[in-house]
Amino acid sequence: MRHGKKHNHLGRKTAHRHSMLANMANSLIEHKRINTTVAKAKALKQFVEPLVTKSKEDTTHNRRLVFAKLRQKDAVAELFRTVAPKVGDRPGGYTRIIKLGNRLGDNADMAMIELVDFNEIYNAGKATKKKTTRRSRRGGAATTDTATASKADKDQKKAAPAKTKKDAKKEEE
């Protein structure tokens, strides 16, 4: 019985599975997106997301922990140098799985797994948002920046008298 055993074995022995996931993670970090089967993509997501979380804090200890999993020096350097600064403010969910349909040869479900912040197509329309805090149970919900800015604009309009046509003509002269 497999009570409480939640990870997918992918039809491989343990050493083969760990090596395959490490190689796939290295490719994902290098190319920012890879095509694979849905089952492997889901297993890779569980493998790589804790590594990206560790890379957000650049310490020697975290580098060694990540290197123990990836076993490739270039991938570790790329992860800490380029990937970590882009995902620094994101609280998880660093990868996205997009299903692509079935493979022609064996009809396997295919998927593309990619690092979320490196896809310019999805991020093009979105403006960069400021980091918002989560609501707490205590009173005094924080006001947003747009609400305070619009309130300040209204106060300025009330304080400043409206210009008339005569005032505009005097300024032109």
Side-chain angles (χ1 to χ4, degrees):
M1 293 194 162
R2 56 179 309 274
H3 292 299
K5 298 178 183 172
K6 295 181 181 175
H7 65 276
N8 190 350
H9 294 290
L10 301 172
R12 288 161 172 82
K13 302 272 174 94
T14 306
H16 185 188
R17 186 173 59 251
H18 288 309
S19 296
M20 184 192 65
L21 289 173
N23 289 335
M24 289 175 66
N26 290 332
S27 297
L28 179 65
I29 291 166
E30 180 184 350
H31 300 292
K32 309 304 185 254
R33 79 174 54 150
I34 57 172
N35 290 340
T36 184
T37 63
V38 173
K40 286 181 188 174
K42 288 179 180 179
L44 180 61
K45 184 173 186 145
Q46 289 179 345
F47 181 84
V48 81
E49 293 218 358
L51 301 180
V52 177
T53 302
K54 282 182 181 61
S55 73
K56 288 163 78 170
E57 185 182 353
D58 191 3
T59 62
T60 306
H61 181 62
N62 283 346
R63 280 185 178 263
R64 286 178 177 165
L65 289 173
V66 170
F67 182 76
K69 295 282 188 180
L70 292 179
R71 297 180 290 212
Q72 194 174 5
K73 193 166 143 183
D74 299 332
V76 173
E78 176 83 7
L79 181 65
F80 280 87
R81 192 175 301 132
T82 61
V83 176
K86 272 206 166 185
V87 300
D89 58 340
R90 182 178 288 275
Y94 310 112
T95 56
R96 174 187 295 128
I97 296 175
I98 301 171
K99 295 186 180 179
L100 300 176
N102 296 339
R103 186 162 49 196
L104 287 176
D106 59 355
N107 208 30
D109 287 334
M110 297 299 289
M112 176 179 66
I113 182 167
E114 65 183 1
L115 294 171
V116 172
D117 292 319
F118 288 90
N119 188 336
E120 285 78 24
I121 295 170
Y122 287 116
N123 297 335
K126 297 178 183 175
T128 55
K129 292 195 309 183
K130 285 190 174 182
K131 187 175 180 182
T132 59
T133 58
R134 295 187 179 184
R135 290 181 282 166
S136 65
R137 293 182 64 111
R138 292 185 287 155
T143 59
T144 60
D145 292 335
T146 56
T148 56
S150 62
K151 198 174 193 181
D153 291 339
K154 287 179 185 177
D155 292 340
Q156 277 185 338
K157 287 179 182 177
K158 287 180 184 176
K163 290 185 179 181
T164 61
K165 290 181 181 179
K166 291 180 183 177
D167 293 337
K169 285 182 182 178
K170 287 181 184 177
E171 287 180 3
E172 288 176 6
E173 293 173 358

